[in-house]
Amino acid sequence: MPVADLLPELMVLIGAAAIVVSASFLPHRLHWLCAVAAIAILLASSVVVLLRWDNAAQLTFFGVWALDGGAGFAKLLIFGSAIVASALSPQWMATDRRHGEYYGLVLFAVLGSVMMAAAADTMELIVGILLSSVTGYALAGYHRQWSPAQEAAMKYFLIGALANALLVVGVVLLFGLTGATGYSELTVALAADPDPWVMTVAFVLILIGLAFKLGATPVHMWMPDVAQAAPAPVAALVTVISKVGAAIALARFAMLLPGNLAWPWVIALMATLTMTWGNLAALWQTNLRRLLGWSAVSQSGYALMAIVVIGAVDQALAALLVFLAGYAVANLAAFSAVVYLRGRTELDDYRGLARERPWTAAVIILALLSFLGLPPLVGFFGKLLLFSVVIEGGYAWLAVVAVVNTVVSLFYYLRVIATLVLPRQDQGAADMGWPAGLTMTVTGGMILGLGLWANGLINLAQSAMLFLPE
């Protein structure tokens, strides 16, 4: 077992354990050091991933773990998102007696999402999803004295219990059908044309399990609740890393499926329902955080577009990665502004923000316009690539559905922007201080910066390939 192949993951695992132990001995006033430690661990892990970027794609640990560009890109997005969430958390969590332990949970959640993205075995995939889910439940309900947070965590848990159980049943059916759990063995077994009915049921059940982590219909209802009621740094983290891990996992799994199974049409239908439901539900929201949660649901539908043509169009994976990068940066920027404003929730609380705090309002506007796909912001290039690959793959109707949904989303994004610029008497509300302000500034700048560096981002995504078993 080449342990060094898992150096980034081992650094996160050992660091998480060390933080949990250290938090038991540090006085509460020094628990912010755990945030510094978490950020240092994540930065070091990201450096290791970058240093290995040009290594040949391969499977390791007896074929259960993928070392390829797709997993590497996902790790960079997941680690970067966790760095932002950790930087936003010290002042938000300052009065919580379990402040230090929180960063250990963040790192365990990161590890679960990384396992989803890198899993090349269905059993490994289950472990990653369960680790991501268990830590997500705890993080969502971290404010245990606040009933909305407990409600969000309970809904997350109940939906997750059902979806994860269905996933396990699907994996068991697949194992009974093929006698294999590793993706290399599954590729050979599925090519032998096994029973199509059992294969269809197994695929649908596994798809539901992955859709839960992706925040896609029909198991998406946890995402707006968590976005609204979980601690704001947790909402920023969970709505990104679980989506990134699940999207790469689904893309990897879909490439194994035989051509006689109509799986692209199933995922295309899921994409249509997800983006439509998310956008229509967001139209009626008067709570900014819940609106961002429904927006995250709709963004899952766009991500599924690339998976519909994965393996059939060369640029499908690159389109998915660029889109996920744009979504991650914009979502983190929007939630960073929420944290900086000490968790303002209702839209009316943001009335006149453009005059009261122009830079904060500018970051929110940049994030919303990036979600919408306005050039030259990074979200534009992700959507442009998505539309081009689905049209090339023969799903022009799906691109039309996505364009219509983009027009629908314009209404609620513009409603938020209009609220920001409407006049209001300055109330001089307090903010969360310079760490959150700096984080918000950096993530807001990255929305424009990555858009201006779009060629570099696209080239990086194009160099990231998924390992294909022979």
Side-chain angles (χ1 to χ4, degrees):
M1 292 186 182
V3 177
D5 286 348
L6 300 186
L7 183 57
E9 293 80 9
L10 287 174
M11 292 168 66
V12 172
L13 174 62
I14 295 170
I19 285 174
V20 171
V21 173
S22 301
S24 301
F25 296 95
L26 282 173
H28 185 266
R29 59 185 173 81
L30 295 180
H31 277 194
W32 62 271
L33 292 174
C34 296
V36 176
I39 291 172
I41 292 164
L42 292 164
L43 284 173
S45 300
S46 301
V47 170
V48 174
V49 173
L50 288 172
L51 290 175
R52 296 178 172 182
W53 187 263
D54 293 326
N55 291 2
Q58 60 174 312
L59 300 183
T60 189
F61 273 76
F62 303 103
V64 304
W65 194 269
L67 296 175
D68 55 26
F73 200 101
K75 290 174 191 177
L76 293 178
L77 290 180
I78 292 167
F79 292 160
S81 300
I83 289 170
V84 172
S86 298
L88 293 172
S89 297
Q91 288 179 292
W92 188 279
M93 295 289 181
T95 59
D96 196 304
R97 294 183 61 83
R98 302 162 301 150
H99 181 190
E101 302 164 18
Y102 163 83
Y103 301 100
L105 270 179
V106 166
L107 292 185
F108 282 124
V110 164
L111 188 60
S113 296
V114 167
M115 290 181 71
M116 285 194 285
D121 184 282
T122 53
M123 300 304 291
E124 196 79 14
L125 177 63
I126 289 174
V127 174
I129 289 178
L130 292 180
L131 178 57
S132 173
S133 298
V134 170
T135 51
Y137 307 151
L139 286 169
Y142 214 76
H143 291 334
R144 56 184 176 181
Q145 304 300 328
W146 196 43
S147 57
Q150 294 308 301
E151 180 184 347
M154 184 57 67
K155 183 176 288 189
Y156 192 8
F157 167 73
L158 292 175
I159 297 174
L162 173 62
N164 291 338
L166 294 177
L167 171 75
V168 172
V169 172
V171 169
V172 170
L173 284 176
L174 192 60
F175 175 74
L177 186 65
T178 63
T181 59
Y183 288 3
S184 297
E185 295 80 10
L186 281 173
T187 302
V188 176
L190 294 176
D193 196 20
D195 188 312
W197 290 105
V198 178
M199 183 61 217
T200 299
V201 173
F203 162 67
V204 170
L205 295 178
I206 293 172
L207 177 61
I208 290 174
L210 289 170
F212 161 66
K213 298 306 299 179
L214 193 61
T217 302
V219 280
H220 63 279
M221 287 302 298
W222 64 271
M223 187 164 281
D225 285 70
V226 169
Q228 178 183 359
V234 170
L237 179 73
V238 171
T239 54
V240 171
I241 64 172
S242 61
K243 194 184 302 290
V244 171
I248 302 302
L250 181 55
R252 196 183 298 278
F253 180 75
M255 294 180 73
L256 308 176
L257 298 174
N260 63 344
L261 193 67
W263 62 265
W265 285 93
V266 176
I267 297 179
L269 177 61
M270 179 178 284
T272 299
L273 293 175
T274 300
M275 68 176 77
T276 304
W277 195 336
N279 282 322
L280 290 179
L283 284 173
W284 315 109
Q285 302 305 317
T286 60
N287 181 297
L288 179 62
R289 288 179 59 179
R290 192 168 184 84
L291 184 148
L292 290 173
W294 279 113
S295 174
V297 171
S298 71
Q299 299 297 316
S300 297
Y302 293 112
L304 286 169
M305 291 170 59
I307 300 174
V308 170
V309 294
I310 200 80
V313 178
D314 291 339
Q315 298 300 315
L317 178 63
L320 176 62
L321 296 178
V322 172
F323 175 79
L324 290 174
Y327 165 76
V329 171
N331 196 67
L332 292 168
F335 275 102
S336 295
V338 172
V339 173
Y340 179 65
L341 296 173
R342 305 185 71 85
R344 292 190 192 184
T345 302
E346 296 298 324
L347 272 180
D348 282 343
D349 296 334
Y350 289 82
R351 188 179 298 272
L353 187 67
R355 299 184 182 184
E356 179 185 340
R357 297 179 184 274
W359 175 239
T360 306
V363 170
I364 296 174
I365 292 171
L366 283 174
L368 297 179
L369 294 180
S370 184
F371 287 144
L372 184 62
L374 192 72
L377 307 178
V378 63
F380 165 76
F381 298 97
K383 282 194 173 180
L384 180 64
L385 289 174
L386 288 179
F387 294 158
S388 64
V389 296
V390 294
I391 292 172
E392 183 180 348
Y395 290 84
W397 65 268
L398 185 56
V400 172
V401 170
V403 170
V404 172
N405 271 278
T406 300
V407 173
V408 173
S409 69
L410 176 65
F411 289 95
Y412 63 83
Y413 289 140
L414 288 181
R415 181 159 56 89
V416 175
I417 294 172
T419 301
L420 296 175
V421 300
L422 286 175
R424 171 189 171 182
Q425 185 178 357
D426 187 358
Q427 296 183 351
D431 57 52
M432 196 62 81
W434 71 265
L438 177 61
T439 305
M440 178 191 69
T441 302
V442 171
T443 52
M446 287 180 66
I447 297 173
L448 183 58
L450 287 178
L452 297 177
W453 187 67
N455 283 337
L457 179 63
I458 293 171
N459 290 335
L460 187 67
Q462 288 174 338
S463 68
M465 306 297 292
L466 293 181
F467 180 85
L468 295 176
E470 299 293 337

